Amino acid sequence: PPPAGASPGSGALNPFDRRLKRKQKNWAALQAEPAKCDYLREEVRGHLGCYLVSLILSFRTFPLALDVGSGRGYIAQHLTKETVEKLIQVDIAENALKNAVESEIPTVRVVADEEFLPFKEDTFDLVVSSLSLHWVNDLPKAFREIHQVLKPDGVFIGAMLGGDTLFELRCSLQLAELEREGGFSPHVSPFTAVADLGHLLARAGFNTLTVDTDEIQVNYPGLFEVMEDLQGKYILCMGESNCSWNRKPLLHRETMLAAAAIYQEMYGNSDGSVPATFQIYYMIGWKYHESQAKPAQRGSATVSFGDLAKIEGLLKGGKK
């Protein structure tokens, strides 16, 4: 479990109740047919597998890999024993690990907090993480721990929810609460801004960084259906419920009705439905090794970028 200091008194440094998050993920893992609730994870898993992971795994083999916040083993389904020889899955929820999807890769499952990885320095050739790190209280520390357990020339590939996730819902609820109750409290968890992500990875020691963003949009009949799906059917099943210390447990009916009207007015589609947006950050970072390619010294170039415009003419002239 997280240390005793992770409490409401910790303020902004510990925005999330990690014990509550563990309970939510354990509950989610025990639901009937959990795969039906994993639509968001499936989308991200496919993107990581087909767009990012394949770029790296296509030209090397990783003897030992670590999946941070593995849940039911979403990433493992896109790995093969030809590319990863052994996989360690780590999650805060023991029920998620017990109900993990089987993989062809030899796998060891460890119950541990993503913020406190129980592994020695320079252990893993690859670390992956899918939709887990946005729940840690100390993201810079989590990145440092991932960098520490990587071997030199090891690579980290991850995905996490971004700052614009559910912005339509957040704005509608805030405006409605301001109007009806004279103030508002958070109903959607805080997320990291993409402008900060590259800096955090670089400060943790990663180099040759790649940070990309994507959006997944799901349409609903209205705000009440958004709330029902997010709180009951999908997000709870995925263990993605808000676990902020300062979350508000209930909303007044009048506030909800006002929020529904605002949602429809500000964001409604032409067919009467409303969108819910999930922003996803994808990231790749390498741990330094002397064998890695290094950038040339400034001013050492022998060809100008302006000369690139001449290439087409040279090719047409039959020259190489």
Side-chain angles (χ1 to χ4, degrees):
S7 64
S10 302
L13 295 179
N14 290 294
F16 301 121
D17 182 346
R18 293 290 292 174
R19 288 185 174 88
L20 175 60
K21 175 50 56 183
R22 183 180 184 179
K23 291 180 180 178
Q24 291 172 345
K25 296 186 73 173
N26 272 323
W27 180 89
L30 295 178
Q31 300 311 297
E33 299 182 294
K36 291 185 177 180
C37 303
D38 288 338
Y39 72 100
L40 189 61
R41 291 190 185 278
E42 291 290 338
E43 182 73 19
V44 174
R45 185 197 74 181
H47 194 109
L48 279 176
C50 299
Y51 177 63
L52 293 179
V53 178
S54 62
L55 295 179
I56 308 302
L57 302 186
S58 60
F59 60 89
R60 64 185 298 176
T61 298
F62 297 96
L64 186 61
L66 172 67
D67 187 353
V68 177
S70 62
R72 296 177 55 250
Y74 310 98
I75 292 295
Q77 299 173 54
H78 268 287
L79 303 178
T80 65
K81 58 185 178 182
E82 286 76 28
T83 54
V84 173
E85 297 177 3
K86 187 175 182 179
L87 177 66
I88 310 295
Q89 294 178 326
V90 168
D91 199 275
I92 196 174
E94 59 272 19
N95 289 341
L97 295 175
K98 291 177 182 177
N99 291 277
V101 179
E102 292 299 323
S103 169
E104 66 177 43
I105 304 172
T107 302
V108 176
R109 301 181 175 99
V110 179
V111 179
D113 195 314
E114 297 95 327
E115 295 186 67
F116 308 96
L117 297 177
F119 305 105
K120 294 181 179 180
E121 186 176 357
D122 301 339
T123 299
F124 298 96
D125 305 278
L126 167 70
V127 176
V128 295
S129 180
S130 179
L131 295 186
S132 173
L133 292 175
H134 51 269
W135 287 123
V136 302
N137 280 312
D138 193 343
L139 187 59
K141 181 179 183 297
F143 283 153
R144 289 196 301 269
E145 294 232 344
I146 290 173
H147 182 270
Q148 179 174 310
V149 302
L150 272 173
K151 292 180 180 178
D153 200 34
V155 60
F156 165 57
I157 304 175
M160 59 186 290
L161 292 180
D164 287 339
T165 295
L166 298 175
F167 71 90
E168 306 97 339
L169 179 62
R170 182 188 299 115
C171 292
S172 299
L173 290 172
Q174 288 178 355
L175 290 174
E177 281 191 292
L178 282 172
E179 176 190 348
R180 298 303 174 97
E181 303 179 30
F184 65 87
S185 60
H187 298 282
V188 178
S189 296
F191 299 109
T192 304
V194 67
D196 300 326
L197 194 56
H199 296 298
L200 293 177
L201 289 166
R203 286 174 55 189
F206 290 100
N207 59 45
T208 319
L209 295 172
T210 300
V211 177
D212 195 11
T213 65
D214 192 17
E215 288 187 353
I216 300 173
Q217 192 173 89
V218 183
N219 292 321
Y220 296 89
L223 177 138
F224 291 102
E225 287 78 12
V226 175
M227 297 288 286
E228 180 182 2
D229 264 4
L230 295 182
Q231 293 183 350
K233 183 178 178 182
Y234 290 123
I235 297 301
L236 278 179
C237 286
M238 293 190 296
E240 290 292 313
S241 300
N242 186 1
C243 65
S244 301
W245 285 110
N246 58 349
R247 64 193 179 277
K248 186 176 180 180
L250 296 174
L251 277 170
H252 297 297
R253 178 175 174 79
E254 294 76 12
T255 302
M256 288 290 293
L257 291 172
I262 293 171
Y263 204 137
Q264 184 64 52
E265 178 66 25
M266 293 183 62
Y267 305 107
N269 299 317
S270 58
D271 61 358
S273 63
V274 296
T277 301
F278 299 89
Q279 185 180 42
I280 313 295
Y281 298 156
Y282 297 97
M283 65 203 95
I284 300 177
W286 296 80
K287 188 168 183 176
Y288 174 77
H289 187 267
E290 58 184 11
S291 66
Q292 293 173 346
K294 301 177 179 63
Q297 293 184 356
R298 186 177 180 86
S300 63
T302 58
V303 178
S304 169
F305 275 111
D307 294 336
L308 295 177
K310 303 175 184 178
I311 292 179
E312 185 176 356
L314 293 173
L315 291 176
K316 290 181 178 179
K319 299 180 180 180
K320 295 185 179 179

